[in-house]
Amino acid sequence: MAGRADSTVLAGARVVLPTGTVENGRVIVEGTRIAGSAPEDARIVDLSDHWLVPGFVDMHNHGGGGASFTSGTVDEVLTGIRTHREHGTTTLVASTVTGKLDFLARRAGILSELVEQGDLAGIHFEGPFISPCRKGAHSEDLLRHPDPAEVRKLMDAARGTAKMFTLATELPGGIESVRLLAEHGVIAAIGHTDATYEQTVEAIDAGATVATHLFNAMPPLAHRAPGPIAALLEDERVTVELINDGTHLHPAALELAYHHAGADRVALITDAMDAAGFGDGRYQLGPLAVEVKDGVARLVEGNSIAGSTLTLDTAFHRAVTIDRIRVEDVVQSISANPARLLGVYDRVGSLEPGKDADLVVLDADFALKGVMRKGEWITEPWTD
């Protein structure tokens, strides 16, 4: 029966720590946190032939379980959060899509309450400050230049819970908006952009630190016009988001990013929409109709990819089994790096004493078997 583990020793697994993997390791859970020692009467859970990794941290997610973070009710948003928790994401940022400014400000007010009560880790505004040339699944007639005053309006509406804005920084007001965000400790992410290499370098120098879903919704890498991809990959100040669902990126592109940026500068994300963990069918992404078929989401009008149906347990499994990335590197990309970017690494992102007992149990083939959040089993690996 699922419940809180007041004093539990998870023993026998391969435990992935910041220092490396420990064979036949153990993690001690005391209440809601990871502890350094266990009482004699602690419950022992045998996890032999399994992997124990930190809970996943998704910094770019629009919904799941049939629910949208942009337009759903509070109960629907909570359904989306629970869906992703069942797939290992114990820390999640709610991403919005382009809408009218007043509407987004109202959504920020609703979502900020869920941040304040601990259900979300923050808000990410993806749009409306993006390029019509690279709009993807965003409504073109609602796009705006990144006016710093309007960026500030959304920041204020979020009441300190805004974690990231995606901007086309080459647009009027882009650089000024990057500086504003950096001054207030909010991530300025470059994405849905038509910027040149030189314009991207200028934005990074102004304080941009994240590439929103690298490769997607930006000019391709070319030998005489390297564009934003080269600038974002080469700069050590930038973390690059990657959507590892087999649709958004060719495996060679994923490998290129890991090779040039290194595992410490990659954040695996879902960019999930309502259908994640729910199924095929017709959905809305903001004001736009989306058809999900065979797990791939596309706009009904125009056929652009419209987010993903990815969950992070699938992204983890693909990275290790198909892309052949080291388990330790995947853990860094899917837990530690986004936690650091979001400013919550003191609480989550690694299996260390004093941190929240957020963890994922995987079997020997890297299939998800159990999820614990703050000491409570969301999904138990098995019952005794």
Side-chain angles (χ1 to χ4, degrees):
M1 181 179 294
R4 186 163 311 280
D6 288 328
S7 187
T8 301
V9 178
L10 306 175
R14 296 183 180 91
V15 181
V16 182
L17 302 175
T19 52
T21 298
V22 177
E23 299 287 339
N24 194 27
R26 68 178 196 164
V27 172
I28 301 164
V29 176
E30 191 75 33
T32 64
R33 297 187 179 275
I34 298 171
S37 60
E40 292 183 2
D41 61 348
R43 177 190 180 208
I44 307 295
V45 176
D46 183 8
L47 294 178
S48 299
D49 299 320
H50 286 71
W51 290 85
L52 200 54
V53 302
F56 308 144
V57 180
D58 194 353
M59 57 188 283
H60 187 157
N61 187 313
H62 297 279
S68 166
F69 297 152
T70 298
S71 59
T73 65
V74 169
D75 285 344
E76 288 169 343
V77 172
L78 289 171
T79 294
I81 293 168
R82 284 194 296 271
T83 297
H84 285 283
R85 283 181 185 169
E86 291 168 357
H87 289 273
T89 298
T90 51
T91 301
L92 184 147
V93 170
S95 301
T96 62
V97 296
T98 293
K100 292 182 178 179
L101 210 64
D102 287 343
F103 172 80
L104 292 174
R106 290 194 298 273
R107 288 304 298 178
I110 294 168
L111 294 172
S112 66
E113 294 180 7
L114 295 175
V115 178
E116 290 160 1
Q117 67 188 36
D119 292 297
L120 291 170
I123 303 170
H124 163 217
F125 293 97
E126 187 181 22
F129 309 116
I130 60 176
S131 172
C133 302
R134 304 287 174 177
K135 64 183 185 296
H138 292 257
S139 181
E140 185 169 352
D141 60 354
L142 296 175
L143 300 182
R144 311 169 74 90
H145 291 164
D147 181 341
E150 295 185 344
V151 171
R152 183 60 185 263
K153 177 179 179 176
L154 293 182
M155 286 174 56
D156 291 344
R159 303 199 302 265
T161 66
K163 288 292 185 178
M164 183 164 69
F165 280 72
T166 291
L167 309 171
T169 54
E170 75 277 9
L171 296 175
I175 297 300
E176 293 81 3
S177 294
V178 168
R179 293 195 180 107
L180 172 69
L181 293 168
E183 288 169 4
H184 287 82
V186 179
I187 297 167
I190 300 172
H192 288 277
T193 176
D194 203 41
T196 65
Y197 173 89
E198 291 76 14
Q199 289 170 327
T200 306
V201 168
E202 182 184 10
I204 296 169
D205 287 340
T209 56
V210 166
T212 295
H213 43 54
L214 187 75
F215 299 110
N216 301 119
M218 61 183 62
L221 185 67
H223 63 294
R224 282 193 293 271
I229 293 172
L232 293 163
L233 279 176
E234 73 183 9
D235 198 301
E236 294 182 355
R237 295 170 290 182
V238 176
T239 298
V240 298
E241 294 182 347
L242 300 175
I243 307 170
N244 191 23
D245 62 352
T247 299
H248 280 78
L249 297 175
H250 190 282
L254 189 87
E255 182 182 1
L256 178 73
Y258 266 96
H259 177 77
H260 284 279
D264 60 341
R265 289 180 45 222
V266 170
L268 293 176
I269 63 162
T270 60
D271 193 21
M273 47 78 71
D274 311 18
F278 200 66
D280 288 358
R282 197 59 92 86
Y283 297 86
Q284 287 292 127
L285 188 60
L288 302 177
V290 175
E291 181 77 27
V292 178
K293 184 177 180 181
D294 298 328
V296 178
R298 294 185 179 274
L299 291 182
V300 172
E301 297 291 334
N303 206 40
S304 291
I305 294 176
S308 84
T309 62
L310 184 65
T311 53
L312 281 181
D313 57 328
T314 298
F316 192 111
H317 187 270
R318 283 188 58 87
V320 175
T321 62
I322 296 175
D323 305 305
R324 303 296 179 184
I325 299 169
R326 294 174 62 245
V327 175
E328 294 83 0
D329 290 344
V330 178
V331 168
Q332 189 169 2
S333 302
I334 211 166
S335 299
N337 295 345
R340 287 194 183 95
L341 283 166
L342 297 172
V344 295
Y345 189 66
D346 60 325
R347 296 187 289 106
V348 300
S350 65
L351 300 178
E352 297 177 271
K355 292 194 174 185
D356 291 350
D358 290 2
L359 52 88
V360 173
V361 181
L362 305 168
D363 68 15
D365 297 319
F366 302 102
L368 184 141
K369 291 298 179 181
V371 181
M372 177 183 283
R373 184 176 186 270
K374 293 187 176 180
E376 182 175 354
W377 287 111
I378 306 299
T379 303
E380 280 194 309
W382 57 73
T383 55
D384 293 339

